[in-house]
């Protein structure tokens, strides 16, 4: 069944009016001209080939995918060196609205990161546990349904490519990093599906990538090994990837999750991740394509009794010894935190420890651990904090200046609102905008999104900000406290279960007992994780008094009576934030009720806010009760704890 996307996201027809009512000249054939032609047809303007124009879009010079916009009395001109740059310049003009046509200072913009990538975790077959989209909260896959490519929906995929291009995204991995049997074949006999999918993305300057199985030479090629140093394996990859690049000349490359959570990898042959990645790079480099190799490697079968094994160290311990060993066309893709996309983690120390390797920062737009697109959780403040973090202190570069690329796990699907929760669209929008320009503030990005999506009056704009601006911190306040993470129901990860993972092999523990809680990751008495950071953070994280409150339990095991930097005890902080979190969600629901917006959007969000209130209360009561029963210490305000 095909859902109809009823909500046009942030490019409604009205946003094109300022361009579509004017005389516009486009000097090159292709997508930019098609877009302008459609806008003029809708709004009464004219595409002209010569003479006076209010807006001219033209290619000039050579260089990057940026653009410049000049505005004077004679009109507005958008120039770019590449067609993709002109596409970005056109969308920038749309964002500017009428002000694009009033004289003003020249705007010149170029992307901070050359690759701005979205990873889909879409399966071809419906996976028995994970479904069509792993950790997908926005309906089915836009690309496949029950084993078959959605050929009838290619126009919608084109609309999707357009949405992504409008925020500057230029690379998309189409399938899940956990590559099952059917999906492995996208590389060979099912390659025609990728050829078809590549076309709508190509129109918008987006290159497609494929997640591949490291064991593909065995699964598909009939070899008895996938050893990256075996000549037969190497030539299988060279031939197979050569064929892919011939059929899809702008193929972006492959994405690999190896030796992680059951996926095959080079460890089986006593080889390193560099051996594996470089083999693929050698096959792809002649065709201008690259390898994304994920650093999410850890032991998911550890013994919970063994307190010396620390999952937070794993990526660092596996990858930093290989710094400098990866080929130039390999990108090591690192999750933002050392664990797994929790709402609060320290920035991964790997990002500061591999100066001779091209790194990508990976964030999760799909809200696996941040409310599963049932809760409002605007993630730009978290991403922005990560990008601004300076691992070497104030004199060193921020993460935005340390990594070479940004990647997000996609939050989209065939849901009528694209993202399940209509307000989760803002996360996709913000990811693209931050990847283009990490100096933008979360509030200004949200403001752009609000304007383009709703074109609201001032009161509605303020209401949307009230509901969304701080929603990440609100979410944090009623879930796992002080950076300790998880406490979610195992498997699907929605809702509270404080001990759900405590005695499992997954390495995600909080160690709460009657005296205290938290993971001792200090050098002095713990796992040594704090020492993986350069100065000054190694010292800050090691110190019980300097460690930021929001990360305290990620780094230290403390008594419930430990006094935080805020002046409150840990136990009182837990109670206060959980009561406060529910109050804030209730206030957001009230605020939303009073907003006048598109009725479909309003109704969907209102229903989801009811669920968010219910869920926040469930979190509050389970967390508070758990810690009250463990500690025996009451709430100083005497509120209801069960
Ligand atoms: C999380 C998530 C998995 C996913 C994994 C990954 O653990 O729960 O579904 O496969 O991350 O990023 O590879």
């Amino acid at each position: 069944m095909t859902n109809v996307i009823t909500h046009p996201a942030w490019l409604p027809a009205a946003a094109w009016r300022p361009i579509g009512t004017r005389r516009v000249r486009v000097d090159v054939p292709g997508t930019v001209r098609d877009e302008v032609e459609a806008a003029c047809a809708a709004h009464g303007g004219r595409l002209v080939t010569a003479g006076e124009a209010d807006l001219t879009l033209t290619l000039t010079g050579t260089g990057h995918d940026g653009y410049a916009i000049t505005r004077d009395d004679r009109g507005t001109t958008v120039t770019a060196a590449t067609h993709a740059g002109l596409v970005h310049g056109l969308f920038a003009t749309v964002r500017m609205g009428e002000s694009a046509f009033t004289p003003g200072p020249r705007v010149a913009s170029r992307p901070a990161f050359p690759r701005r990538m979205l990873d889909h975790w879409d399966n071809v077959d419906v996976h028995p546990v994970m479904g069509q989209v792993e950790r997908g909260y926005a309906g089915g896959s836009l690309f496949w349904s029950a084993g078959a490519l959605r050929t009838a929906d290619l126009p919608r995929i084109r609309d999707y490519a357009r949405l992504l291009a409008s925020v500057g995204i230029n690379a998309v991995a189409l399938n899940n990093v956990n590559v099952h049997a059917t999906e492995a074949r996208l590389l060979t006999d099912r390659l025609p599906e990728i050829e078809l999918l590549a076309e709508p993305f190509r129109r918008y300057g987006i290159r497609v990538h494929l997640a591949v199985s490291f064991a593909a030479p065995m699964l598909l090629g009939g070899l008895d090994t996938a050893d990256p140093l075996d000549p037969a394996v190497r030539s299988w990859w060279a031939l197979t990837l050569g064929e892919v690049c011939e059929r899809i000349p702008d193929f972006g490359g492959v994405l690999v999750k190896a030796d992680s959570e059951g996926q095959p990898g080079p460890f089986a042959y006593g080889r390193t991740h560099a051996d594996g990645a470089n083999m693929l790079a050698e096959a792809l480099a002649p065709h201008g394509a690259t390898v994304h190799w994920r650093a999410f490697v850890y032991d998911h079968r550890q013994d919970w009794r063994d307190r010396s094994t620390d999952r937070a160290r794993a990526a660092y311990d596996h990858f930093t010894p290989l710094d400098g060993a990866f080929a130039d066309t390999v990108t090591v893709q690192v999750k933002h935190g050392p664990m797994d996309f929790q709402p609060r983690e320290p920035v991964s120390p790997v990002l500061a420890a591999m100066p001779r390797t091209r790194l990508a920062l990976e964030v999760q737009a799909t809200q696996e651990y941040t409310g599963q697109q049932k809760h409002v959780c605007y993630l730009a403040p978290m991403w922005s904090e990560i990008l601004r973090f300076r691992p070497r202190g104030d004199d060193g570069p921020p993460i935005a200046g340390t990594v070479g690329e940004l990647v997000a796990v996609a939050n989209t699907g065939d849901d009528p609102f694209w993202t399940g929760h209509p307000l989760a669209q803002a996360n996709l929008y913000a990811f693209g905008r931050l990847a283009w320009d990490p100096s933008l503030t979360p509030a200004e990005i949200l403001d752009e999104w609000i304007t383009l999506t709703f074109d609201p009056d001032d009161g509605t704009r303020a209401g949307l900000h009230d509901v969304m601006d701080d929603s990440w911190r609100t979410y944090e306040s009623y879930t796992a406290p002080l950076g300790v993470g998880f406490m979610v129901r195992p498997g699907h990860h929605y809702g509270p279960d404080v001990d759900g993972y405590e005695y499992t092999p997954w390495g995600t523990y909080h160690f709460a007992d009657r005296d205290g809680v938290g993971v001792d990751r200090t050098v002095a008495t713990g796992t040594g994780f704090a020492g993986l950071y350069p100065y000054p953070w190694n010292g800050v994280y090691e110190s019980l008094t300097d460690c930021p409150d929001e990360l305290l339990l990620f780094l230290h095991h403390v008594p419930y009576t430990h006094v935080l930097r805020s002046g409150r005890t840990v136990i009182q902080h837990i109670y206060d934030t959980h009561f406060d979190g529910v109050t804030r969600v209730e206030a957001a629901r009230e605020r939303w009720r009073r907003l006048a917006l598109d009725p479909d959007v309003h109704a969907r969000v209102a229903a989801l806010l009811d669920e968010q209130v219910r869920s926040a209360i469930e979190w509050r009561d389970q967390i508070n009760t758990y810690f009250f029963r463990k500690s025996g210490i009451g709430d100083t305000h005497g509120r209801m704890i069960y």
Side-chain angles (χ1 to χ4, degrees), residues 94-384:
V94 175
R95 278 199 294 276
M96 289 167 77
E98 271 304 325
S99 73
F101 299 96
T102 49
R106 179 173 184 271
V107 177
S109 186
R110 61 184 295 178
F113 302 100
R115 195 179 287 112
R116 305 166 299 279
M117 183 170 183
L118 215 53
D119 285 3
H120 276 264
W121 285 358
D122 295 22
N123 299 312
V124 174
D125 285 333
V126 181
H127 185 273
V129 179
M130 295 296 174
Q132 192 77 64
V133 181
E134 178 153 334
R135 311 305 181 184
Y137 312 103
S141 165
L142 289 162
F143 313 136
W144 291 282
S145 175
L149 183 72
R150 303 183 77 150
T151 29
D153 296 321
L154 283 169
R156 182 170 68 195
I157 296 170
R158 193 179 146 180
D159 287 349
Y160 181 56
R162 180 170 181 257
L163 267 188
L164 300 189
S166 77
V167 290
I169 288 165
N170 67 352
V172 171
L174 296 170
N175 63 304
N176 188 3
V177 287
N178 295 312
V179 184
H180 310 293
T182 303
E183 292 77 10
R185 290 165 46 209
L186 292 170
L187 202 54
T188 51
D189 59 303
R190 296 194 70 149
L191 185 61
E193 296 172 31
I194 303 303
E195 276 182 85
L196 274 174
L197 287 171
E199 202 278 329
F201 286 107
R202 180 177 303 123
R203 293 182 63 85
Y204 287 95
I206 299 171
R207 295 172 74 172
V208 300
H209 298 238
L210 270 183
V212 299
S213 167
F214 194 75
M218 299 161 81
L219 292 171
L220 310 170
L223 303 186
D224 58 8
T225 176
D227 182 348
L229 300 191
D230 184 292
V233 171
R234 296 179 84 83
S235 70
W236 185 86
W237 277 113
L239 276 173
T240 306
L241 292 173
E243 168 90 17
V244 174
C245 295
E246 203 168 294
R247 303 266 288 268
I248 308 171
D250 58 347
F251 182 61
V254 298
L255 165 63
V256 189
K257 171 176 177 176
D259 290 316
S260 168
E261 299 183 332
Q263 292 296 304
F267 285 169
Y269 311 97
R271 312 297 184 196
T272 69
H273 284 280
D275 293 332
N278 291 348
M279 165 187 65
L280 299 172
E282 193 181 291
L284 286 167
H287 310 281
T290 63
V291 177
H292 284 81
W293 190 275
R294 295 178 85 227
F296 182 60
V297 176
Y298 70 100
D299 179 7
H300 69 292
R301 295 203 184 98
Q302 83 172 72
D303 187 340
W304 59 267
R305 300 165 194 85
D306 163 21
R307 286 183 75 150
S308 65
T309 302
D310 181 4
R311 172 168 163 182
R313 292 189 59 112
Y316 187 100
D317 291 341
H318 284 300
F319 281 87
T320 58
L322 298 173
D323 188 29
F326 289 97
D328 289 350
T329 53
V330 173
T331 299
V332 173
Q333 187 166 313
V334 184
K335 287 193 182 185
H336 69 78
M339 294 296 280
D340 197 357
F341 295 139
Q342 296 306 292
R344 176 74 70 173
E345 292 186 49
V347 172
S348 169
V350 177
L351 294 168
M354 298 188 69
R356 292 182 296 148
T357 306
R358 183 180 179 80
L359 297 178
L361 167 71
E362 183 182 327
V363 298
Q364 201 183 36
T366 193
Q367 289 173 236
E368 176 177 2
Y369 291 103
T370 50
Q372 304 205 347
Q373 280 138 265
K374 292 184 173 133
H375 297 216
V376 187
C377 191
Y378 177 51
L379 293 166
M382 165 162 65
W383 298 339
S384 180

Side-chain angles (χ1 to χ4, degrees), residues 376 421-423 454 463-464 467-468 586-598 601-607 609:
V376 187
H421 201 305
L423 303 184
F454 300 111
L464 283 157
V467 170
M468 296 177 73
E586 285 169 343
R589 177 168 66 176
E590 271 315 299
R591 193 78 177 89
W592 184 263
R593 279 191 185 140
R594 287 183 278 116
L595 294 180
L597 281 163
D598 172 289
V601 175
H602 196 275
R604 169 77 77 103
V605 175
L609 279 162

Side-chain angles (χ1 to χ4, degrees), residues 457-582:
D457 59 36
D458 289 350
T460 309
R461 178 187 305 279
L464 283 157
H465 276 286
D466 286 348
V467 170
M468 296 177 73
D469 274 330
D470 230 14
S471 51
W472 163 55
R473 288 191 183 80
T474 298
Y475 183 82
E476 180 185 23
S477 70
Y478 59 79
T479 54
L482 296 163
V484 78
F486 294 89
M487 300 192 167
V488 290
R489 297 214 177 94
H492 58 69
H493 298 165
Y494 187 72
D497 185 346
V498 181
D499 282 340
Y501 274 112
E502 198 59 13
Y503 308 105
T504 72
W506 291 94
T508 53
Y509 314 121
H510 55 69
F511 299 120
D513 59 22
R514 65 174 188 175
D515 300 318
V517 57
V519 190
D520 185 351
R521 293 192 162 107
T522 63
V523 176
T525 52
T527 68
F529 170 82
L532 306 183
Y533 289 85
Y535 174 85
W537 289 103
N538 51 1
V540 172
Y541 289 155
E542 180 77 12
S543 155
L544 199 48
T545 43
D546 294 343
C547 183
D549 284 350
E550 67 273 11
L551 290 173
L552 186 76
L553 301 183
F554 192 99
L555 287 141
H556 296 270
H557 185 90
V558 297
Y560 295 113
T561 51
H562 172 80
V563 178
L564 295 164
R565 293 165 66 85
S566 69
R568 271 189 297 203
T569 61
V570 165
I571 191 72
Q572 194 56 40
H573 172 97
I574 292 174
Y575 298 149
D576 288 352
T577 51
H578 285 78
F579 282 112
D580 184 47
V582 170

Side-chain angles (χ1 to χ4, degrees), residues 388-409:
R388 288 163 195 260
F389 177 72
R390 293 177 188 269
R392 290 172 204 287
D394 291 347
D395 299 334
I399 291 294
T402 308
V403 300
E405 301 180 15
L406 244 54
V407 178
V409 184

